[in-house]
Amino acid sequence: FQSDSYLCMAVPVPTKRDVYIVDFVPHARMDTAHHMLLYGCQTPVSTSGYWDCGSVKGICEDEASIMYAWARNAPPTKLPKDVGFRVGGNSGITHFVLQIHYGNIKAFEDNHKDCSGLTLQMTTKRQQFIAGIYLMMSMDTIISPGNKVTNADIACTYDSYPIYPFAFRTHTHHLGEEVIGYRIRNGRWTLIGRQSPQLPQAFYPASKDIEVKFGDTIASRCVFTGEGRTSKTYIGGTADDEMCNYYIMYYMESRHATPFMSCMEPGSAELFRHMPVLPALPVPVESHDMMSRVMSGHKTETNIVIFHKRVLFAWVALTCTICPAGYFLEEVTAWPEVKLQLGQVSGLALDSYGNLVIFHRGDHHWGVNSFDNIARYQHRSKGPIQQSTILVVDQVKGEILKASGRNTFYLPHGITTDKENNYWVTDVALHQVFKLSSQQRDVPLVELGEAFTPGSDRRHFCQPTDVAVDPVTGNIYVSDGYCNSRIMKFSAEGQYLSEWGAGNRGPFRIPHSLAYLPDRQELCVADRENGRIQCFVADSGEFLKEIKKEEFGGEVYAIAYSPHSGGLIYAVNGESADGYSSPIRGFVIDYSSKDIVNVFRPVDQEFKMPHDIVVTPDDSVFVGDAASGSVFKFTSGSKPASHKAQTVSEIQPAPPPIYQRQQKQPPGEEEKGRPEKIKPDPSTRQGVSPALMTTLLLVPLVLVVSIAVFIRWRKSRVYGGEITHDVKPGGGILGKLKGKAVGGLNLGNFLATHKGYTRQGFDRLNTEGSDHEKEEDYTTDSENEEYSAPPAPSSSS
């Protein structure tokens, strides 16, 4: 792998029916990737892994169509309403090929892991107009050193059905100052668009209501400067060469649709002598408001996938190199910075402030003798766990902010939070599900099931494992569980709604963990003993997909979901009861392709029984391990964690609206289950003078004695326990041309041996449990202007 490498990866179109791309979302930075190009074709050069597509191999065996281009931190691109790129079906495009040009590899000197890629939003709804790309490119321009201005002119006579340009994009390297495009009709020059290629190279809105029809001329000019160069600069594929590309994104009537056209003919001096003289380029658009000028008019009902009769959208994530989607996760070995007193960690969740919520078993633990053969709990006489079982922890440092759940639970299992910050928890010994307020914890808000009574009807559970919450409706889903192997759906008030079993590949064998996908309105289930993940339409329970990998080794303990990069599932596996096991690790899985795109594990120790996993909005990942009584934190290697705790004294973000409606806990109100105080580190103490020390000690002593006398006099009752305050922390692109005509440009292997450089690719990504938990000694350390397509002209026929 070296500078100016071109790497490609092919991804099949996920359906054989006609689908339409309506949104392109790039995931790349210009300090890593010089540019990205998305091609569509029928037969890519390879369908296995990535390949060097800057060599003679090229991009596609057949004709390649460019559909999207990105460079210089360009923002996402949306298409106008009723316009889409048609793929799949009879379009002739069965594969996407993403090409990434890595211009300078200095960004990788610190072992930086690249996650550049592209997300496509697609719809099966037939689009009235079909989008395409018209590429204008200079092939023979030479920029002389010292020349202040060198023009590269391109022009072609248009000889096809009418097209309607709605966006344009410019591309040069460092010497380009301006790129401009026109339509010429009857000697009149009409501007399509002009821009500096040194700005983010997005698709900018073209002039409105412009049409290009048979007999028109399309012309483009790139303006370069040779100042500062000591030798001639040629058109080529390296960062030291130059390019002159002008992309026109157009739409046309679907019956005449042509997905890609190109023009590489030099424009005549006589033609360009009549080019209008324009004023200097306008003030460059600032990157933060550029999107207010980029197309955003494609109105959609929702950004979710609905797989029953009416499929609205499908997401395809295309990525390249070591972590082709998702994030490279590294353990934060210094977390937590304080000592946590934890038993078997059974559940993790996040509250609305971004704090981590830990559900653990204190001095109780699940062993082989905890239940009889009909799932009745055998240690009821020991009473509930006396320690605080629910800890709210600052995710930056790991400091305990709140504690609750004392004298309430027997064997905690799953926990999640709803939009009002209530806790939904399960207890496998009680065979119950509870809704608890994070503010008033004395009485459950909702109590489902009958205590210590297993059952399989609508009013009973048998060792329920987890709860998921629909943030919109408030409906909850319960995985029930070790005995019944079903999913039950209830209203937010606890009213039974429905239930279902596994998909079409056999019943559940311990549905152990749930993940609700809010952007898709789906529910995914970690089917533990089947070693698979199953996903369903949340509303109906209709089976959608199964994710089963050899790397799981027969056990999937827990899952979590992030909508980033088109949808990522985070999972942890475990030791299999039948003796067939893979290394216990965490996995990042691309939801659409079902591919494992990354694996992670602790640095200095091993997972023993990773029991639950949660992912934060900034893609930090926490894993709770039941066997070791610990919680691990992982973050993206490119995002170093802050070492400053965001406590209430430093940052006080505006609370969520729901909190503004809740009554705050009054100062001094007692809270059950405050954990043992953590002693300060003696090394942080600083010396003071004896006189000052005496004064500091006497003043509070006198104050305390006075208060005690007053309290004694008032005979006020003092309640046991400790006081806790309600803390709210902010917790080469240019391929050798193969003589293809309109729609047939293959930009894969041009200049493959230019200047004699060779390329090498990255190394491939190495993607290297019973019904009861292990009984082990646990440790306690631990927009936008809308561009609507004008109506197509009525046909004369």
Side-chain angles (χ1 to χ4, degrees):
F1 179 65
Q2 58 185 352
S3 294
D4 291 310
S5 291
Y6 287 76
L7 299 181
C8 285
M9 176 175 285
V11 175
V13 176
T15 177
K16 294 183 179 179
R17 61 188 298 188
D18 283 345
V19 289
Y20 303 85
I21 304 172
V22 296
D23 193 3
F24 300 90
V25 182
H27 311 289
R29 302 192 313 270
M30 63 182 292
D31 59 345
T32 300
H34 180 273
H35 75 250
M36 296 192 300
L37 281 173
L38 178 67
Y39 298 83
C41 62
Q42 183 124 18
T43 310
V45 166
S46 174
T47 57
S48 177
Y50 60 87
W51 71 92
D52 176 4
C53 53
S55 66
V56 294
K57 291 182 178 180
I59 308 291
C60 301
E61 299 288 355
D62 53 350
E63 296 180 354
S65 300
I66 295 177
M67 291 184 286
Y68 178 75
W70 172 95
R72 300 188 67 84
N73 294 340
T77 297
K78 287 187 178 181
L79 275 62
K81 183 179 180 181
D82 300 322
V83 174
F85 284 87
R86 184 163 58 114
V87 297
N90 297 320
S91 67
I93 295 176
T94 62
H95 287 79
F96 301 112
V97 179
L98 182 67
Q99 179 197 75
I100 300 181
H101 173 201
Y102 294 97
N104 190 322
I105 62 170
K106 287 185 178 180
F108 298 94
E109 290 179 351
D110 61 349
N111 294 320
H112 171 77
K113 304 298 188 296
D114 183 49
C115 298
S116 300
L118 182 66
T119 297
L120 310 181
Q121 185 179 356
M122 306 168 69
T123 177
T124 58
K125 180 182 177 181
R126 184 173 180 178
Q127 300 298 291
Q128 183 178 359
F129 303 100
I130 304 303
I133 294 288
Y134 191 106
L135 172 61
M136 308 190 73
M137 181 165 54
S138 174
M139 301 297 296
D140 55 3
T141 299
I142 301 174
I143 304 169
S144 299
N147 272 16
K148 186 174 182 179
V149 175
T150 297
N151 293 327
D153 295 334
I154 314 142
C156 288
T157 300
Y158 186 73
D159 59 0
S160 187
Y161 293 99
I163 61 173
Y164 300 87
F166 63 86
F168 72 96
R169 175 184 179 270
T170 66
H171 178 70
T172 70
H173 294 175
H174 303 295
L175 304 184
E177 295 186 329
E178 176 186 3
V179 184
I180 188 169
Y182 289 94
R183 180 204 67 186
I184 307 172
R185 177 183 295 174
N186 299 325
R188 181 179 177 182
W189 293 60
T190 301
L191 179 68
I192 296 174
R194 65 190 292 228
Q195 189 56 274
S196 166
Q198 303 309 318
L199 290 176
Q201 293 179 5
F203 278 94
Y204 291 83
S207 300
K208 285 191 175 183
D209 303 327
I210 190 169
E211 174 200 50
V212 178
K213 65 181 182 180
F214 182 88
D216 291 340
T217 297
I218 304 178
S220 178
R221 166 173 283 181
C222 297
V223 180
F224 297 98
T225 178
E227 292 180 317
R229 290 292 177 101
T230 58
S231 60
K232 292 181 179 180
T233 304
Y234 299 87
I235 298 295
T238 76
D240 291 329
D241 296 319
E242 265 303 337
M243 288 186 181
C244 170
N245 294 354
Y246 187 76
Y247 296 82
I248 300 172
M249 192 176 283
Y250 61 83
Y251 65 84
M252 61 195 308
E253 290 186 81
S254 60
R255 58 179 174 168
H256 301 314
T258 303
F260 181 76
M261 293 181 269
S262 62
C263 171
M264 286 166 283
E265 297 180 10
S268 68
E270 175 61 28
L271 176 67
F272 277 84
R273 189 174 293 117
H274 301 285
M275 177 177 161
V277 177
L278 297 177
L281 273 174
V283 176
V285 179
E286 295 294 334
S287 59
H288 69 270
D289 63 20
M290 183 179 65
M291 277 306 292
S292 65
R293 295 182 53 192
V294 180
M295 312 79 69
S296 60
H298 206 288
K299 301 299 182 182
T300 57
E301 296 182 35
T302 179
N303 290 343
I304 61 171
V305 180
I306 304 177
F307 279 91
H308 42 303
K309 298 182 180 178
R310 174 168 162 268
V311 181
L312 286 180
F313 293 101
W315 287 86
V316 178
L318 298 102
T319 52
C320 204
T321 73
I322 288 181
C323 43
Y327 298 86
F328 180 80
L329 294 172
E330 298 175 346
E331 184 190 5
V332 182
T333 55
W335 195 93
E337 298 180 16
V338 296
K339 190 176 182 180
L340 295 176
Q341 302 287 337
L342 300 174
Q344 291 180 330
V345 178
S346 62
L348 299 176
L350 294 172
D351 67 17
S352 61
Y353 299 112
N355 299 315
L356 179 67
V357 184
I358 302 174
F359 200 26
H360 73 111
R361 296 173 182 155
D363 59 0
H364 287 202
H365 50 281
W366 188 349
V368 294
N369 298 316
S370 296
F371 294 88
D372 63 16
N373 57 3
I374 57 172
R376 291 186 181 273
Y377 186 56
Q378 297 298 289
H379 303 305
R380 183 175 176 179
S381 60
K382 293 176 59 177
I385 301 167
Q386 297 184 16
Q387 296 87 7
S388 299
T389 55
I390 301 176
L391 305 180
V392 180
V393 174
D394 167 34
Q395 67 163 281
V396 177
K397 284 190 173 182
E399 296 175 337
I400 297 175
L401 306 174
K402 291 183 182 180
S404 61
R406 183 180 177 185
N407 292 319
T408 304
F409 302 105
Y410 286 78
L411 276 182
H413 203 278
I415 186 170
T416 192
T417 58
D418 61 22
K419 61 184 178 181
E420 297 179 352
N421 261 10
N422 298 307
Y423 305 137
W424 287 91
V425 301
T426 67
D427 188 309
V428 291
L430 288 168
H431 304 287
Q432 286 184 292
V433 177
F434 301 94
K435 177 183 180 181
L436 305 172
S437 170
S438 61
Q439 301 300 310
Q440 306 292 337
R441 304 175 186 80
D442 292 336
V443 179
L445 301 177
V446 175
E447 181 175 336
L448 303 176
E450 183 179 353
F452 298 108
T453 305
S456 57
D457 57 28
R458 296 182 178 185
R459 297 183 179 181
H460 292 85
F461 304 101
C462 190
Q463 297 176 337
T465 54
D466 202 9
V467 180
V469 182
D470 182 336
V472 177
T473 66
N475 292 337
I476 69 160
Y477 301 85
V478 179
S479 48
D480 178 40
Y482 282 86
C483 316
N484 292 326
S485 293
R486 60 181 175 175
I487 305 299
M488 303 182 73
K489 180 181 177 181
F490 299 86
S491 70
E493 295 75 30
Q495 179 182 359
Y496 173 88
L497 298 176
S498 63
E499 65 182 76
W500 70 83
N504 55 8
R505 300 189 181 184
F508 289 125
R509 292 178 61 203
I510 308 182
H512 195 257
S513 172
L514 301 176
Y516 189 85
L517 285 53
D519 57 334
R520 302 172 182 272
Q521 296 181 355
E522 296 176 19
L523 184 75
C524 290
V525 182
D527 189 2
R528 195 180 93 175
E529 299 298 306
N530 281 322
R532 64 185 178 182
I533 300 166
Q534 295 200 81
C535 297
F536 305 84
V537 177
D539 185 56
S540 64
E542 179 184 350
F543 174 75
L544 294 176
K545 66 165 60 178
E546 175 188 87
I547 303 174
K548 186 177 178 68
K549 299 292 183 180
E550 184 178 351
E551 290 86 349
F552 296 161
E555 297 269 347
V556 178
Y557 265 71
I559 55 174
Y561 176 76
S562 169
H564 291 182
S565 300
L568 299 172
I569 291 179
Y570 295 77
V572 287
N573 66 339
E575 184 175 336
S576 177
D578 59 13
Y580 172 70
S581 296
S582 288
I584 302 178
R585 297 170 294 180
F587 302 89
V588 184
I589 303 159
D590 183 284
Y591 174 88
S592 298
S593 68
K594 302 193 289 187
D595 292 332
I596 295 174
V597 298
N598 199 5
V599 294
F600 58 94
R601 61 173 61 175
V603 175
D604 299 325
Q605 54 185 309
E606 295 293 330
F607 285 138
K608 292 184 178 180
M609 185 184 289
H611 199 264
D612 202 6
I613 185 170
V614 68
V615 56
T616 70
D618 65 352
D619 299 295
S620 293
V621 175
F622 292 88
V623 177
D625 194 296
S628 64
S630 56
V631 178
F632 300 90
K633 180 179 181 180
F634 302 84
T635 62
S636 169
S638 60
K639 299 177 183 178
S642 170
H643 293 288
K644 185 177 182 180
Q646 295 182 329
T647 62
V648 69
S649 61
E650 297 166 355
I651 298 176
Q652 283 192 332
I658 188 65
Y659 265 68
Q660 297 172 4
R661 300 196 299 268
Q662 290 180 343
Q663 182 179 1
K664 293 184 178 180
Q665 184 177 0
E669 182 181 349
E670 295 170 334
E671 180 179 42
K672 293 182 180 180
R674 176 73 171 178
E676 182 180 342
K677 289 184 178 179
I678 300 170
K679 296 181 180 180
D681 185 352
S683 64
T684 62
R685 300 172 183 167
Q686 296 180 354
V688 295
S689 67
L692 179 59
M693 178 67 77
T694 301
T695 302
L696 291 175
L697 290 174
L698 286 177
V699 171
L701 179 60
V702 173
L703 182 60
V704 169
V705 171
S706 301
I707 292 174
V709 171
F710 177 77
I711 293 175
R712 180 78 173 179
W713 177 70
R714 294 280 296 176
K715 297 183 179 180
S716 298
R717 192 171 186 179
V718 181
Y719 291 87
E722 299 180 33
I723 297 174
T724 300
H725 298 288
D726 187 13
V727 183
K728 297 188 180 79
I733 175 181
L734 296 175
K736 182 170 289 186
L737 305 180
K738 297 185 178 180
K740 307 289 184 184
V742 171
L745 178 64
N746 189 330
L747 304 179
N749 48 26
F750 180 69
L751 303 173
T753 58
H754 183 59
K755 297 188 178 179
Y757 65 86
T758 59
R759 309 181 180 92
Q760 294 178 350
F762 289 109
D763 291 325
R764 294 253 185 126
L765 170 66
N766 179 18
T767 56
E768 312 176 298
S770 73
D771 287 357
H772 303 299
E773 327 254 347
K774 291 182 180 179
E775 184 174 21
E776 294 185 9
D777 291 336
Y778 61 89
T779 61
T780 54
D781 295 339
S782 147
E783 144 142 83
N784 295 323
E785 187 176 0
E786 179 175 332
Y787 288 81
S788 296
S794 58
S795 172
S796 59
S797 61

